[in-house]
């Protein structure tokens, strides 16, 4: 997006003026959280300049947002539109990653700040959830605030004093400068100190700003040690993510939250009740020396549905998000989702269904018996257009009982499924399919669970889209590779042969390694092996051209050195920035001779009578470097029964192993296997590389043995 020339302002219309506009917008719209983002100089990152109402940890986590990211304020700025999310489920449907990181109940609006063709940043406001739409007054406040902010930022830039975001967001509040009657404060403290329970106040940073003597006594620390500190940082027995998460939930959702904790060294349990206050939280601490009994510990009933997903589930979903980012295939997506999701939600089965040619196709499943899969496939083919088919819902649907489920999927009566969540896998462009999570018993889906599952579906959809693209590229790569390599080697009298090609385990499974055997006469042939620089479609396409050229030059009767010379000039003309190693060997079986020329390739191995030696002609430059390079051929004997092994570096290279050591190891293994049939030797030489785990390079292998 384009920025106008440098940015502001008349007197008083600087960053502090923008902060005042932010607070005015918060007050006038009834929001409890607000933030102003400014676009960085490169136009790629949004920085939080000022915020009001955010817990400090959350403000830091969201202080820097990439403009291209799937975040509400980024979408609002780059698409120049108001983004409105009424609740957690709205956030989960549209921004699953953000919903998992902020699993709290709140409504949110994000709007762009711009003037003309220039984008300056964005405004973000949040309210406790409960309103389905923004009111006209709230829309007016947001629109006027953004226009005024844009004008200020533009004026600042024009006079050479642009407003820039600081390294950390500035916390702004109306509270600064407020004075209280000290006598009234002491009277209130004296009143609270006379009560058996403890009271304390937390600010938006999570720090204790006020506490009573009973509160300090219950917590087991002196007031001087506690004031100004975050309780979960001072008290080791409160240092768990769950307790800090309760604080964040109360601040963000503006709803009461609660938890219980046991003091160390005894049986005393403490009940903590957190109530939202204008500048933070008010906390009541209720003691109990009885056995843990949350009902007894909570004198005031908490609002239903006020809690959020527990910390274990939340962090489990975050772990799943990380794991899914590494899933490369559709089956990996299914397996990883099943491994993480089923235990967390106490579910028993999982399936991913997609629509193809008007009917539902099962992409993968876990915990589902084969009979149920066959029954589903039969039903989907007989009723592909069923309007309530579980394979194609527009919105997440939750079936809590077998009766509800049978209404949309009659065959479920015979399956061990009593409840299920049917979650569409939506991306910004299309719907990829449906995620179905099944339960063996009836299951009530809470609002928090629905929101978390909806977020999960968004993450799975993104992973599935990547995996589908990878699978498509993988199939394309395999087809391209298969088309460029020889379908079969020609028959040459007196010559036994075997070849192998093994793709890398990382990347697109396509590269520039190649081999060939060219029949030049009844008892003559040319063996070729090479490696084009790179591991991408360009390398594969170039490999096909080089292999074809070498085949043509060899068939015309050119000598080995001439073949490489012609191929070198062709490669420079085709792609001057790509290099290729190549080894070319003429075999004259009737005269028992080899003519060998090399363009920087690894030496071939020759085995005879238990001895393995290297075939190392005078090394030439890699093809594609010097158009005037010349290549010399060396002549040597090919003894009857001699076996040639031509290979690429993927076979001998490994982390922590030098190239010489890798070739020596290959020589030793060849000596052990040399008496086996040629096909078995090829498999044996590859076995070590194939079981070594991930490989960054392809392997080409060509074995030739003359009649003994």
């Amino acid at each position: 997006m384009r920025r106008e020339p440098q940015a502001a302002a008349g007197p008083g219309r600087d960053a502090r003026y923008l902060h005042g506009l932010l607070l005015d917008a918060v007050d006038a719209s009834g929001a409890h959280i607000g933030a102003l983002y400014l676009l960085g100089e490169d136009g790629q990152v949004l920085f939080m300049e000022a915020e009001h109402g955010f817990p400090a940890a959350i403000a830091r986590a969201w202080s820097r947002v990439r403009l291209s990211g799937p975040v509400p304020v980024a979408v609002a700025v780059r698409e120049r539109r108001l983004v409105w999310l009424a609740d957690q489920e709205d956030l989960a449907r549209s921004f699953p990653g953000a919903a998992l990181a902020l699993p709290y109940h709140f409504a949110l609006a994000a709007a762009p700040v711009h003037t003309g063709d220039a984008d300056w940043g964005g405004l973000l406001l949040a309210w406790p959830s409960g309103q389905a739409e923004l009111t006209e007054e709230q829309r007016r406040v947001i629109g006027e605030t953004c226009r005024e902010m844009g004008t200020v930022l533009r004026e600042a830039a024009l006079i050479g004093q642009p407003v820039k975001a600081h390294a950390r967001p500035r916390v702004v509040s109306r509270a600064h400068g407020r004075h209280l009657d000290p006598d009234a404060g002491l009277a209130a403290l004296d009143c609270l100190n006379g009560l058996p329970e403890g009271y304390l106040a937390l600010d938006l940073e999570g720090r204790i700003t006020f506490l009573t003597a009973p509160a300090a006594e219950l917590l087991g620390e002196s007031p001087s040690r506690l004031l100004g500190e975050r309780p979960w940082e001072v008290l080791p027995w409160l240092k768990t993510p769950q307790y800090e998460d309760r604080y964040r939930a109360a601040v963000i959702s503006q709803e009461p939250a609660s938890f219980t904790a046991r003091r160390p060294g005894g049986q005393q349990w403490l009940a903590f009740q957190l109530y939202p206050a204008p500048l933070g939280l008010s906390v009541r601490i209720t003691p109990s020396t009885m056995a843990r009994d949350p009902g007894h510990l909570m004198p005031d009933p908490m609002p239903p549905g006020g809690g959020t997903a527990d910390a274990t589930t939340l962090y489990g979903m975050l772990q799943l998000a990380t794991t899914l980012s590494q899933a490369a295939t559709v089956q990996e997506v299914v397996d990883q989702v099943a491994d993480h999701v089923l235990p967390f939600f106490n579910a028993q089965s999982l399936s991913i269904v997609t629509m193809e040619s008007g009917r539902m196709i099962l992409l993968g499943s876990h915990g589902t018996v084969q009979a149920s899969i066959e029954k589903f496939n039969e039903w989907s083919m007989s009723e592909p257009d069923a309007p309530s088919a579980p394979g194609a819902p527009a919105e997440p649907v939750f079936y809590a009982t077998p009766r509800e489920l049978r209404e949309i999927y009659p065959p479920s009566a015979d399956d061990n499924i009593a409840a299920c969540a049917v979650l569409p896998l939506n991306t910004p462009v299309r719907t990829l399919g449906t995620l179905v999570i099944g339960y063996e018993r009836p299951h009530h889906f809470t609002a928090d669970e629905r929101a978390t599952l909806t977020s999960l579906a968004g993450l799975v959809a993104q992973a599935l889209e990547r995996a589908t693209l990878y699978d498509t590229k993988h199939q394309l790569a395999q087809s391209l590779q298969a088309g460029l390599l020889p379908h079969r080697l020609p028959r040459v009298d007196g010559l036994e042969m075997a070849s192998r090609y093994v793709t890398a385990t990382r990347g697109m499974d396509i590269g520039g390694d190649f081999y060939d055997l060219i029949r030049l006469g009844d008892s003559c042939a040319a063996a070729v092996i090479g490696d084009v620089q790179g591991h991408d479609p360009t390398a594969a396409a170039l490999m096909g051209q080089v292999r074809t050229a070498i085949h043509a030059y060899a068939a015309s009767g050119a000598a080995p050195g001439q073949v490489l010379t012609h191929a070198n000039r062709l490669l420079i003309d085709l792609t001057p920035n790509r290099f290729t190693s190549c080894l070319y060997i003429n075999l004259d079986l009737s005269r028992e001779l080899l003519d060998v020329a090399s363009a920087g390739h690894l030496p071939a191995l020759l085995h005879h009578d238990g001895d393995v030696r290297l075939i190392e002609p005078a090394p030439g430059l890699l093809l594609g470097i010097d158009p005037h390079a010349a290549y010399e051929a060396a002549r040597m004997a090919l003894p009857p029964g001699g076996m040639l092994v031509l290979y690429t570096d993927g076979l001998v290279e490994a982390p922590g192993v030098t190239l010489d050591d890798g070739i020596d190891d290959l020589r030793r293994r060849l000596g052990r296997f040399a008496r086996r049939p040629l096909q078995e030797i090829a498999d044996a030489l590859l076995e070590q590389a194939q079981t070594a785990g991930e490989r960054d390079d392809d392997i080409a292998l060509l074995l030739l043995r003359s009649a003994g």
Side-chain angles (χ1 to χ4, degrees), residues 232-448:
W232 50 85
E233 294 178 353
V234 177
L235 305 170
W237 50 282
L238 288 179
K239 194 174 180 62
T240 70
Q242 183 178 4
Y243 300 147
E244 184 180 359
D245 186 65
R246 296 294 84 205
Y247 154 77
R248 295 182 184 181
V251 172
I252 296 294
S253 302
Q254 289 291 285
E255 295 176 349
S258 62
F259 63 88
T260 58
R262 184 170 63 180
R263 282 186 51 176
Q267 295 298 314
Q268 186 180 44
W269 286 86
L270 300 179
F272 293 80
Q273 292 174 287
L274 290 66
Y275 296 92
L279 299 176
L281 295 178
S282 299
V283 182
R284 177 166 64 181
I285 308 173
T286 306
S288 174
T289 56
M290 302 179 182
R292 186 180 186 187
D293 180 2
H296 185 81
L297 291 175
M298 297 297 171
D300 294 343
M302 306 306 292
T308 61
D310 65 78
T312 302
T313 300
L314 169 63
Y315 297 118
M317 291 300 98
L318 291 176
Q319 181 185 0
L320 172 62
T322 302
T323 306
L324 282 178
S325 68
Q326 302 171 3
T329 67
V330 172
Q331 189 57 51
E332 286 182 6
V333 172
V334 174
D335 292 342
Q336 290 175 6
V337 172
D339 291 344
H340 287 76
V341 172
L342 297 185
F344 279 115
F345 291 98
N346 197 26
Q348 287 70 50
S349 64
L350 177 147
S351 301
I352 295 181
V353 182
T354 189
M355 297 296 293
E356 186 174 301
S357 301
R359 69 184 187 92
M360 287 171 286
I361 303 295
L362 188 67
L363 286 183
S365 65
H366 187 92
T368 305
V369 298
Q370 184 62 32
S372 297
I373 295 174
E374 293 173 357
K375 189 187 308 175
F376 172 82
N377 289 336
E378 181 180 347
W379 176 79
S380 68
M381 287 187 290
S382 63
E383 297 188 37
D385 300 320
S388 58
E395 297 289 339
V397 185
F398 302 90
Y399 301 98
T401 65
R403 186 179 64 180
E404 293 178 7
L405 185 56
R406 282 196 298 270
E407 290 178 0
I408 60 102
Y409 182 50
S412 66
D414 301 325
D415 291 336
N416 193 24
I417 299 178
C420 73
V422 182
L423 309 164
L425 300 175
N426 296 324
T427 68
V429 178
R430 60 193 176 112
T431 298
L432 298 175
T434 304
L435 173 64
V436 182
I437 298 175
Y439 298 78
E440 293 178 351
R441 298 181 179 180
H443 183 84
H444 172 68
F445 295 91
T446 66
D448 293 318

Side-chain angles (χ1 to χ4, degrees), residues 11-43:
R13 290 165 63 85
D14 54 7
R16 287 172 296 177
Y17 184 78
L18 292 171
H19 300 166
L21 291 176
L22 174 62
L23 291 174
D24 289 344
V26 169
D27 292 342
S29 66
H32 69 290
I33 291 175
L36 168 63
Y37 282 87
L38 297 181
L39 196 60
E41 293 182 357
D42 63 356

Side-chain angles (χ1 to χ4, degrees), residues 687-695:
E687 182 178 2
Q688 181 172 312
Q690 290 179 311
T691 58
E694 289 192 345
R695 296 186 311 278

Side-chain angles (χ1 to χ4, degrees), residues 57 163 343 387:
V163 178

Side-chain angles (χ1 to χ4, degrees), residues 476-491 497-501 513-518 543-544 547-548 551 679 701-702:
L476 175 62
Q478 288 187 323
S479 299
L480 178 59
Q481 195 84 61
L484 294 174
L485 292 171
H487 294 289
R488 62 178 180 273
L489 299 178
R491 294 178 60 87
M497 60 202 72
S499 62
R500 297 289 187 272
Y501 192 96
D513 292 23
F514 65 96
Y515 65 88
D516 205 353
L517 183 67
I518 308 164
M543 173 268 284
R547 176 176 165 263
T548 301
H551 202 289
Q679 299 294 341
L701 179 64
L702 180 61

